[in-house]
Amino acid sequence: MGTSGRSQPSFVNLGLTLIVLLCWFLLLIGADSQKTHPAEVNALRAIKKSLIDPYQNLGNWNRGDPCTSCWTGIYCSNTTMDDGYLHVKEMALLNMNLSGSLSAELVHLSYLEIMDFMWNNISGTIPKEIGNVTSLTFLLLNGNNLTGSLPDEIGYLGNLDRLQIDENQISGSIPKSFANLNNAKHFHMNNNSLSGQIPPELSRLPLLVHLLLDNNNLSGHLPPELSKMPNLTILQLDNNNFEGSTIPPSYGNISCLSKLSLRNCSLQGPIPNWSNMPNIGYIDLSLNKLSGTIPTDVLSENMTTIDLSNNNLNGTIPASFSRLPLLQKLDFQNNKLSNISGSLVLPSNVTVSLQGNPICSKGNLIQFCGSYEEDFSSMLNQTSSNACLPQSCPPPFEYAPASHPVRCFCAAPLLVGYRLKSPGFTNFRPYIDKFEHYVSSALDLHIYQFEIDSVAWQKGPRLRMYLKIFPAYVNNSINKFNRSEVLRIHDMFRRWKIHGNAVFGPFELLNFTLLEPYKDEIPSSSPSGITKGALAGIIIGTAAGSVTLAAVVFLLFVRSHTRRHRAYSRRRPSSRVSIRIDGVKGFTYGEMSVATNNFNSSSFVGQGGYGKVYKGILADGTVVAIKRAQEGSLQGEKEFLTEIELLSRVHHRNLVSLIGYCDEEGEQVPQ
Ligand SMILES: *[C@@H]1O[C@H](CO)[C@@H](O)[C@H](O)[C@H]1NC(C)=O
Ligand SMILES: *[C@@H]1O[C@H](CO)[C@@H](O)[C@H](O)[C@H]1NC(C)=O
Ligand SMILES: *[C@@H]1O[C@H](CO)[C@@H](O)[C@H](O)[C@H]1NC(C)=O
Ligand SMILES: *[C@@H]1O[C@H](CO)[C@@H](O)[C@H](O)[C@H]1NC(C)=O
Ligand SMILES: *[C@@H]1O[C@H](CO)[C@@H](O)[C@H](O)[C@H]1NC(C)=O
Ligand SMILES: *[C@@H]1O[C@H](CO)[C@@H](O)[C@H](O)[C@H]1NC(C)=O
Ligand SMILES: *[C@@H]1O[C@H](CO)[C@@H](O)[C@H](O)[C@H]1NC(C)=O
Ligand SMILES: *[C@@H]1O[C@H](CO)[C@@H](O)[C@H](O)[C@H]1NC(C)=O
Ligand SMILES: *[C@@H]1O[C@H](CO)[C@@H](O)[C@H](O)[C@H]1NC(C)=O
Ligand SMILES: *[C@@H]1O[C@H](CO)[C@@H](O)[C@H](O)[C@H]1NC(C)=O
Ligand SMILES: *[C@@H]1O[C@H](CO)[C@@H](O)[C@H](O)[C@H]1NC(C)=O
Ligand SMILES: *[C@@H]1O[C@H](CO)[C@@H](O)[C@H](O)[C@H]1NC(C)=O
């Protein structure tokens, strides 16, 4: 694409040229008077030597002076100091695909304040010499492959504000010397292999705000002293093994704490009185062996989330939770809770999970006794046809649902993959009947013709279902839909004719499977009956309250001036930014062309902001809206990618969602 003569690159080039000129200028005027301290130059050379730099990101570290020749990632004091030299203040080498190890020669960077090697692949240990660089305020080594233990010498870094070593393979214990880091505010050490006890001495840290030690192998008891940290707001220790330890009662008095997360820590004993945490908003004590009762003390009004699931708590659920105005989630599942004091009155937007508790055997709480991990098998059992004789219907016929007017007749169902994209509930159980009535009446079917075959929560959370739709019973007849009925039901789904519903929200059609005897009833190449009005409505998303079905937008960007390069454009130049966005597919120009009958005017449904919109049918029958960018309205590649990524993240009940794009190379088309 480099030769395609875009305007953006010329701006970039201009910018680069200016920077280069500026560097030369600085180099020239500074050539005699300004130089980096020789010890630091040597240290940087040694650091580079011990790193592996496959992309030559440090390629310019060979030439000239670090501070005046603009070495990548090196930032210096802006004037010479008393010793007549410039000094390196910052190394910003994040995300540069560096491997290799950290050289002990960094000890000579005596003015370094920020050492940033985040998101590389550096291995080996953290050299103990780092403790001599006492000017350090930020030590950022997260997202590497560092091993070995943490050097005690880090504790000498009296100016350190932020220590980030998370997401490495660091082992050994947390040095007690860290308690000397009087200026430390942030300790991020999660996702390593740290072991041993959390040193009680850390409680001496006056300014520490975040202590993240989750996902390590820490053990021993939880030091009660941590509660003395005056500024601690997040204490996150999940996924460690404090076998036999209890939660110190003093943890209920951490006055600044807003989040306490001790998930899966092998803790036992009672939950501390939590009424002395005026700022607490989030408590996760799930997956432990906590026993006793839930404290009746009133929690902070800032409380949004309380997860006490999977413990051995018994007794009563305090109704005082009803008074928490910001509450979003109460998860008490899988305990031994047997009662509720008073009545738990909560707005419907609060997720309450009580299942797996004896209290759920009391029928009046049924709406709180399902969850994300709802046992769909048992709740759907009622509609299955197990009451019929064990003789089987000849395939593809099967027993229609048991509740129909005639018992056990054989019929051939339509199979529909269907998904609620943003359901207004977290537990489906209370809504099953409503849902069956909603869809079957929208489809103009009897309730007995409708069966939910399986249900599963998916990420989002979204609710995926496979539905079976049976023909109505007709005496002395082969019970199957006729062709026009099949087409009608198919159209209801794929043309978003099922009216909107606030509780169930938008849905999408995943598939519409026609087994025998329907196999040939919908010719795969038949143009859909989708109307211009319907599709335009989907795109601009005005039909308030209407339900959006399998909604799809493709973006196709075609540039006239790049077409000239079509001859070689089918090869993707290696310099091209590659697009990889989860859940978004790439399509070829050819596929788009076939889907729209070569962008035929009969497929044209409307004009959008900067291009025309066509309806199209993919090879698999999915109906899609295709937006084709107009010539001259194009953005640069970066903007294009940004837009694709943005669209892929936008989900709203009145908006179609992006499932793919076509950015074909050459015609900048290509893919
Ligand atoms: C040099 O840096 C100091 C802080 O390090 C800053 O206050 C000062 O304005 C800078 N001088 C120039 C000329 O940029
Ligand atoms: C890092 O490596 C990836 C491929 O592994 C490459 O796409 C990316 O451009 C590299 N980044 C840098 C700054 O070298
Ligand atoms: C990380 O570096 C090691 C060698 O130090 C190498 O074997 C490994 O492939 C690298 N991983 C990545 C993702 O670059
Ligand atoms: C680093 O610090 C230690 C102890 O403070 C000292 O003994 C050692 O000489 C220092 N090393 C260098 C290279 O300055
Ligand atoms: C970490 O380093 C080891 C070798 O020391 C290597 O096998 C492994 O792939 C590296 N991990 C990553 C994520 O690069
Ligand atoms: C930390 O480790 C946990 C457990 O292995 C993992 O689920 C989580 O994704 C990791 N977090 C990060 C940021 O790597
Ligand atoms: C908490 O931190 C702030 C600075 O961030 C500091 O001024 C304050 O004194 C600290 N609180 C206590 C009790 O030390
Ligand atoms: C909620 O938190 C904010 C700070 O995040 C704090 O100012 C406020 O006082 C808290 N409210 C209560 C009721 O504790
Ligand atoms: C809760 O369980 C404990 C034993 O773990 C028992 O002593 C106590 O009586 C139980 N309380 C209630 C209210 O069931
Ligand atoms: C829940 O809905 C109520 C109104 O019914 C609202 O005031 C409250 O802010 C909502 N809570 C959350 C967490 O969205
Ligand atoms: C479903 O019903 C059958 C027959 O009544 C029964 O054997 C089976 O255990 C039920 N399944 C569940 C999960 O309850
Ligand atoms: C289509 O639906 C059937 C069930 O009706 C299901 O087994 C299959 O996995 C679905 N396929 C897709 C791609 O969702």
Side-chain angles (χ1 to χ4, degrees):
M1 300 308 288
T3 58
S4 64
R6 293 195 205 152
S7 54
Q8 276 79 10
S10 49
F11 280 112
V12 173
N13 288 341
L14 182 62
L16 285 174
T17 310
L18 283 176
I19 290 169
V20 169
L21 283 176
L22 187 65
C23 281
W24 274 107
F25 180 65
L26 287 177
L27 185 63
L28 287 176
I29 62 160
D32 291 326
S33 58
Q34 297 200 301
K35 283 250 185 256
T36 311
H37 194 288
E40 296 178 25
V41 180
N42 289 336
L44 291 174
R45 293 218 165 98
I47 288 169
K48 179 179 172 177
K49 206 169 163 204
S50 67
L51 292 171
I52 299 166
D53 178 19
Y55 290 80
Q56 291 297 310
N57 286 312
L58 309 184
N60 64 0
W61 281 33
N62 298 325
R63 296 187 289 275
D65 181 80
C67 293
T68 56
S69 307
C70 296
W71 285 17
T72 300
I74 300 301
Y75 298 86
C76 303
S77 56
N78 49 11
T79 55
T80 54
M81 295 199 181
D82 292 347
D83 59 4
Y85 289 108
L86 295 169
H87 292 280
V88 178
K89 295 274 200 176
E90 177 176 354
M91 297 174 77
L93 301 179
L94 63 164
N95 256 315
M96 291 196 177
N97 293 322
L98 301 172
S99 52
S101 59
L102 291 177
S103 166
E105 293 298 307
L106 55 80
V107 68
H108 298 295
L109 298 173
S110 0
Y111 292 81
L112 193 68
E113 291 170 5
I114 300 177
M115 180 181 284
D116 181 352
F117 283 97
M118 299 191 294
W119 313 119
N120 285 291
N121 179 25
I122 297 169
S123 50
T125 59
I126 302 176
K128 66 178 175 13
E129 288 78 4
I130 201 140
N132 292 56
V133 189
T134 51
S135 50
L136 271 182
T137 57
F138 287 6
L139 179 54
L140 311 173
L141 302 174
N142 47 303
N144 280 289
N145 202 354
L146 294 165
T147 52
S149 55
L150 290 168
D152 282 344
E153 286 81 354
I154 289 180
Y156 302 155
L157 300 175
N159 291 303
L160 199 66
D161 173 286
R162 185 176 279 271
L163 175 63
Q164 293 186 183
I165 55 151
D166 42 307
E167 297 187 55
N168 279 289
Q169 325 271 346
I170 295 169
S171 54
S173 56
I174 301 169
K176 287 188 177 48
S177 65
F178 282 18
N180 301 325
L181 299 172
N182 280 326
N183 284 300
K185 296 199 182 74
H186 304 273
F187 276 177
H188 298 185
M189 307 193 223
N190 52 287
N191 291 68
N192 277 290
S193 302
L194 297 171
S195 57
Q197 212 208 325
I198 299 173
E201 291 83 357
L202 295 187
S203 64
R204 297 210 303 259
L205 295 168
L207 302 182
L208 200 72
V209 174
H210 296 163
L211 182 55
L212 310 184
L213 297 173
D214 52 290
N215 295 296
N216 277 294
N217 297 328
L218 296 167
S219 57
H221 69 274
L222 289 179
E225 294 87 348
L226 293 188
S227 64
K228 293 187 204 148
M229 280 189 271
N231 276 344
L232 191 65
T233 58
I234 298 183
L235 179 58
Q236 187 159 316
L237 305 176
D238 318 66
N239 295 319
N240 281 291
N241 188 356
F242 304 107
E243 181 81 57
S245 186
T246 58
I247 304 176
S250 63
Y251 282 19
N253 303 329
I254 312 183
S255 57
C256 280
L257 205 64
S258 75
K259 178 167 180 175
L260 176 64
S261 201
L262 299 171
R263 183 182 181 84
N264 194 22
C265 283
S266 308
L267 295 165
Q268 60 189 40
I271 295 174
N273 173 325
W274 53 31
S275 61
N276 289 323
M277 294 191 284
N279 293 300
I280 194 77
Y282 189 111
I283 294 179
D284 186 349
L285 306 177
S286 60
L287 287 160
N288 283 296
K289 297 171 202 157
L290 300 174
S291 57
T293 58
I294 299 176
T296 52
D297 323 292
V298 180
L299 272 161
S300 155
E301 297 214 321
N302 283 1
M303 208 63 211
T304 69
T305 303
I306 307 172
D307 191 344
L308 305 177
S309 60
N310 298 292
N311 280 293
N312 293 323
L313 301 168
N314 66 2
T316 297
I317 297 170
S320 56
F321 292 125
S322 308
R323 296 201 291 267
L324 302 173
L326 303 178
L327 197 62
Q328 292 173 341
K329 174 176 165 181
L330 282 183
D331 192 345
F332 298 153
Q333 58 184 292
N334 301 321
N335 277 289
K336 295 175 182 156
L337 301 165
S338 54
N339 215 337
I340 283 189
S341 72
S343 55
L344 195 57
V345 183
L346 291 163
S348 60
N349 54 9
V350 179
T351 306
V352 182
S353 308
L354 303 180
Q355 72 277 14
N357 281 290
I359 195 169
C360 280
S361 57
K362 304 185 179 173
N364 57 344
L365 285 170
I366 195 80
Q367 77 270 26
F368 295 147
C369 292
S371 83
Y372 281 7
E373 289 114 79
E374 287 177 280
D375 184 359
F376 291 116
S377 63
S378 68
M379 84 172 70
L380 297 175
N381 214 1
Q382 53 192 333
T383 61
S384 79
S385 42
N386 54 50
C388 297
L389 293 170
Q391 106 213 357
S392 62
C393 296
F397 292 84
E398 55 183 275
Y399 286 126
S403 57
H404 63 81
V406 178
R407 279 173 61 85
C408 299
F409 73 98
C410 291
L414 302 172
L415 307 182
V416 181
Y418 179 94
R419 182 157 61 194
L420 297 177
K421 297 174 77 177
S422 180
F425 49 82
T426 44
N427 307 318
F428 188 41
R429 183 189 294 267
Y431 294 99
I432 292 179
D433 282 354
K434 277 194 198 119
F435 178 79
E436 290 180 338
H437 280 98
Y438 158 59
V439 181
S440 57
S441 71
L443 293 173
D444 199 15
L445 299 173
H446 298 289
I447 184 79
Y448 75 81
Q449 294 179 258
F450 189 82
E451 180 180 327
I452 303 173
D453 187 48
S454 71
V455 193
W457 284 103
Q458 297 183 323
K459 264 197 182 149
R462 296 184 292 179
L463 191 64
R464 194 268 290 140
M465 293 178 233
Y466 291 125
L467 310 175
K468 285 184 181 173
I469 296 172
F470 289 87
Y473 175 76
V474 179
N475 202 9
N476 291 330
S477 152
I478 305 168
N479 289 295
K480 73 184 270 284
F481 288 110
N482 64 29
R483 182 159 189 269
S484 69
E485 273 287 88
V486 173
L487 290 174
R488 182 184 73 82
I489 293 170
H490 188 214
D491 271 9
M492 290 295 293
F493 279 104
R494 65 180 191 153
R495 290 169 60 186
W496 301 278
K497 281 188 173 174
I498 298 176
H499 56 82
N501 178 294
V503 175
F504 300 111
F507 65 94
E508 54 197 340
L509 182 62
L510 299 176
N511 61 12
F512 195 92
T513 310
L514 295 176
L515 304 173
E516 296 290 353
Y518 304 115
K519 252 203 159 102
D520 301 319
E521 305 230 307
I522 300 178
S524 57
S525 62
S526 85
S528 82
I530 196 157
T531 64
K532 291 185 180 191
L535 191 53
I538 291 149
I539 291 160
I540 60 180
T542 52
S546 83
V547 171
T548 306
L549 256 191
V552 183
V553 180
F554 288 91
L555 293 175
L556 171 64
F557 282 60
V558 182
R559 295 173 185 235
S560 62
H561 68 273
T562 54
R563 272 176 191 266
R564 286 186 247 122
H565 302 280
R566 205 198 268 247
Y568 71 96
S569 68
R570 294 291 154 186
R571 285 164 285 121
R572 176 185 281 276
S574 58
S575 66
R576 230 180 107 77
V577 184
S578 71
I579 309 174
R580 271 181 151 268
I581 298 161
D582 285 348
V584 180
K585 269 182 2 200
F587 290 85
T588 64
Y589 182 83
E591 285 170 299
M592 299 295 84
S593 183
V594 168
T596 57
N597 196 9
N598 199 18
F599 295 99
N600 194 292
S601 56
S602 66
S603 310
F604 174 74
V605 290
Q607 179 84 30
Y610 53 85
K612 291 178 177 172
V613 180
Y614 297 83
K615 81 181 178 211
I617 303 167
L618 296 182
D620 68 2
T622 316
V623 180
V624 298
I626 297 178
K627 186 169 180 181
R628 181 182 189 178
Q630 228 161 14
E631 293 169 9
S633 69
L634 280 176
Q635 311 126 306
E637 189 163 71
K638 248 203 171 133
E639 287 84 336
F640 175 61
L641 297 183
T642 308
E643 168 149 8
I644 296 280
E645 187 163 23
L646 182 70
L647 281 171
S648 74
R649 286 195 251 113
V650 173
H651 300 283
H652 184 272
R653 65 184 57 176
N654 293 331
L655 287 178
V656 294
S657 56
L658 176 77
I659 64 163
Y661 66 90
C662 170
D663 174 20
E664 247 189 50
E665 142 183 311
E667 314 167 47
Q668 155 130 200
V669 247
Q671 147 79 324

